[in-house]
Every structure is written in structure tokens, then in C-alpha cells.
Amino acid sequence: MSDRSLRGMRLGSQSMETEAGVEPAPRQHIEYRTEDGESVFVTFSTEADVPPVWTTKTGKEAVIVNGEKPEAGNEKPQRTHWDMLLERRSVEELEVILQDRLTVLRERRGESVSTGKAKKK
């Protein structure tokens, strides 16, 4: 019985199964290259759909080597908050509103409205 003892074993934290006889899934190594020549190798399953563009760790977009070039999408450019604001108001109106709000803020702080400097007490 002493030869079959599990004394000192961390039960539940380690698997008793071995890797013997296990075949890994078939894989393929795909090379991507950025515009500045940086090469990136990504491993995919042979059954996976390989994307034509891959984002590298540095944030650059890399295109698959010896593959189909990605098609340019007809996506509209993303509208920013500033673009939507300019649809409702002109720049002149925005400047007037800014000056009004700055005046209210300075009055609340106790600053002189004409000079923008704090009043001396």
C-alpha cells in the first residue's frame, strides 16, 4: 500500500493524464508583411479561414504574402463629434457660445470679465 500512496501530491491542481499518443491538430504557418517590410508569422488551423489582413503587435496592418490582396471597402469615414456639431452650428455661432460660457465661468470664479484676471481683495 505504501508504494501506491499519493502523499505530498497536490490533488486537483495537476492532471494525471499524459501527452503520450496525442496528435495535435494540423496547422499552417501564414506570413504577413507590413508596408515597411516587417514580417509576421501567424499559426492557424488548416481548417480555419485565413484573413487577408492581420494587425501586428505594433498596431500596423500587415497583408498576407503570396495571397489575394484585400479589397478596398466602400466604408464611409467615421463621423466625429466635431463633424456632427458642425452640422448643427457654424464656427461663428460656436465662438459666441464659447465666449458666453467663459464669461459665466469667470463670474462664478470671481474674476473680472473684461480682463479675465482675478479681483484683488
Side-chain angles (χ1 to χ4, degrees):
M1 178 160 160
S2 64
D3 61 339
R4 307 252 327 145
S5 173
L6 294 177
R7 186 176 39 198
M9 181 67 178
R10 290 177 269 162
L11 292 176
S13 64
Q14 293 179 340
S15 174
M16 300 299 285
E17 295 181 19
T18 64
E19 295 286 327
V22 175
E23 263 316 296
R27 303 173 197 188
Q28 58 182 336
H29 299 285
I30 306 296
E31 181 181 5
Y32 291 90
R33 190 167 293 139
T34 61
E35 288 183 4
D36 60 355
E38 178 185 353
S39 291
V40 178
F41 291 92
V42 184
T43 304
F44 293 100
S45 168
T46 54
E47 300 171 359
D49 294 330
V50 178
V53 177
W54 188 263
T55 303
T56 65
K57 291 181 181 179
T58 57
K60 301 174 188 171
E61 283 195 352
V63 179
I64 193 168
V65 176
N66 299 330
E68 298 178 15
K69 301 294 180 194
E71 299 175 8
N74 293 334
E75 298 176 14
K76 295 190 296 186
Q78 186 175 2
R79 287 176 40 198
T80 63
H81 193 71
W82 179 249
D83 294 332
M84 290 184 268
L85 186 62
L86 288 179
E87 289 175 4
R88 295 188 306 266
R89 302 196 187 261
S90 67
V91 175
E92 293 80 21
E93 287 177 305
L94 292 172
E95 287 176 358
V96 170
I97 293 171
L98 174 64
Q99 290 306 317
D100 290 343
R101 298 307 301 163
L102 286 174
T103 302
V104 170
L105 180 65
R106 288 182 181 133
E107 287 174 355
R108 214 182 294 162
R109 288 184 177 176
E111 296 177 358
S112 173
V113 176
S114 61
T115 62
K117 296 183 180 178
K119 296 179 185 176
K120 293 184 180 179
K121 293 183 180 180

